[in-house]
Amino acid sequence: MKLYKEKDYRILSIDDEEKYIQIRDSELTGKRFGRVNKFREYPKAARHFEHLFPNNYLDIVELKDSEAIKTMCTEYQKKLDTNPNEQEMLNFINENEYYILIASIFKFYNFGHHEAYLFKEFPLAGAHRVDYLLVGKGSGGYEFIFIELEHPSDNAFLSTTADYAQSYRKGINQVNDWRRTLEVHFNNMSIEFNKAIKTNQSLPNEFYLNDSSRRHYIVIAGRRAHYRCSSEKAYEIRRNEERTSGIKILHYDNLIDYTLELIGKDSF
């Protein structure tokens, strides 16, 4: 579940710690009351280290790097255009650490602005495993977004009726399996979260309470072109799915749009 290959952010190097302490001390310089927040000036490792899950933290400072985000979207688009399957897309995102593409989904929710984390291939119970799990904090505490990736290249809608084709049907069935599993085994997740937590920290209550109102579900499949085949019906089906089942249906091209919207933002 650790996101980043090169570093364990639960441990600060001597150099990073010295820089971190220096900047922290400067936050009080010349202040009679309070502290000047210089979080964005901390070393990258320290920004991660400050958070509940250092190796799964999504760094808001990266949102200011417009060129890196544009390059990420361009490379992602090129990969999609090779007609990959879902495992190839999962591998592509993970190997390149293009996690902002997944984090862009926070745009639909009112949490993730105070803290944002991503877990990949998160185990639930038994054989159930989530492709991606976003965890975000808002004013109401922590909430969870469970994300299923399905085939990006197969047509997502039946050509004759514009109903869901196999990729979306499979993803929705998977989400419904997760729901049933979580109702019974939600507390099992705390075991995995505790493996990732910062040393000497404890999980907040939201990670133990079986509160289905804090859980949200996304299925990603197909391409924008699949919607154009029968646009009005396809978008109607997508809206109806969210209204009736609470499952949000996206296609892979959506992630490009949402990621580009993040450029220059202060939070996810």
Side-chain angles (χ1 to χ4, degrees):
M1 293 189 300
K2 180 175 176 287
L3 289 182
Y4 309 105
K5 298 187 286 286
E6 298 302 322
K7 195 148 188 169
D8 183 350
Y9 288 113
R10 291 177 297 181
I11 304 167
L12 281 182
S13 69
I14 294 173
D15 185 51
D16 284 332
E17 186 172 10
E18 288 177 350
K19 291 177 182 176
Y20 177 45
I21 292 171
Q22 184 180 23
I23 296 170
R24 289 282 291 173
D25 289 344
S26 75
E27 290 176 333
L28 292 171
T29 302
K31 293 286 293 181
R32 287 188 64 189
F33 305 104
R35 175 186 291 272
V36 176
N37 189 332
K38 296 184 178 181
F39 174 79
R40 292 175 181 276
E41 297 179 26
Y42 297 171
K44 180 178 179 64
R47 295 196 299 270
H48 283 257
F49 180 78
E50 277 219 333
H51 284 84
L52 189 63
F53 304 107
N55 286 321
N56 299 87
Y57 171 64
L58 295 163
D59 188 1
I60 58 173
V61 173
E62 293 181 5
L63 301 181
K64 301 297 184 180
D65 192 341
S66 61
E67 291 307 311
I69 291 175
K70 289 175 184 177
T71 298
M72 178 193 312
C73 290
T74 298
E75 294 302 313
Y76 173 80
Q77 177 82 63
K78 289 178 181 177
K79 183 65 177 179
L80 279 177
D81 290 342
T82 65
N83 296 320
N85 60 35
E86 64 269 33
Q87 188 61 52
E88 290 172 318
M89 289 309 300
L90 188 76
N91 293 343
F92 172 80
I93 293 170
N94 292 345
E95 288 168 5
N96 291 286
E97 299 184 0
Y98 284 169
Y99 300 125
I100 292 177
L101 288 158
I102 302 300
S104 70
I105 292 171
F106 274 125
K107 70 165 285 177
F108 295 107
Y109 304 96
N110 62 358
F111 54 89
H113 314 307
H114 297 170
E115 295 174 31
Y117 305 100
L118 177 64
F119 297 83
K120 60 184 181 182
E121 299 177 272
F122 191 96
L124 300 182
H128 294 288
R129 188 175 295 268
V130 180
D131 286 335
Y132 291 107
L133 172 60
L134 285 170
V135 178
K137 186 180 183 183
S139 56
Y142 292 92
E143 301 193 33
F144 309 88
I145 308 171
F146 299 82
I147 301 166
E148 171 72 1
L149 268 58
E150 290 294 341
H151 208 297
S153 304
D154 291 348
N155 200 323
F157 296 94
L158 299 174
S159 58
T160 52
T161 63
D163 291 323
Y164 293 133
Q166 182 181 4
S167 55
Y168 275 138
R169 290 201 308 272
K170 182 182 174 187
I172 291 168
N173 288 339
Q174 179 66 78
V175 165
N176 288 329
D177 284 344
W178 293 345
R179 277 180 160 152
R180 289 188 288 269
T181 299
L182 288 166
E183 285 299 328
V184 179
H185 300 290
F186 180 77
N187 283 343
N188 284 15
M189 294 177 62
S190 64
I191 298 171
E192 300 301 325
F193 285 125
N194 273 311
K195 294 177 183 177
I197 200 168
K198 184 179 177 179
T199 304
N200 298 324
Q201 294 291 308
S202 57
L203 292 174
N205 288 338
E206 297 93 319
F207 290 83
Y208 295 104
L209 294 175
N210 193 353
D211 180 356
S212 61
S213 70
R214 294 183 182 275
R215 300 197 287 268
H216 312 272
Y217 303 93
I218 304 279
V219 174
I220 304 173
R223 300 289 305 275
R224 178 174 281 118
H226 301 153
Y227 281 70
R228 292 175 181 147
C229 295
S230 50
S231 179
E232 183 177 344
K233 180 66 174 175
Y235 283 101
E236 177 189 344
I237 290 173
R238 183 161 78 167
R239 291 192 301 270
N240 188 61
E241 187 66 51
E242 185 172 5
R243 184 171 61 250
T244 57
S245 73
I247 301 172
K248 185 176 287 293
I249 300 294
L250 303 177
H251 55 71
Y252 280 81
D253 295 279
N254 284 143
L255 300 186
I256 298 174
D257 304 331
Y258 305 156
T259 299
L260 291 173
E261 289 174 14
L262 284 171
I263 292 175
K265 294 289 180 67
D266 291 325
S267 65
F268 291 96

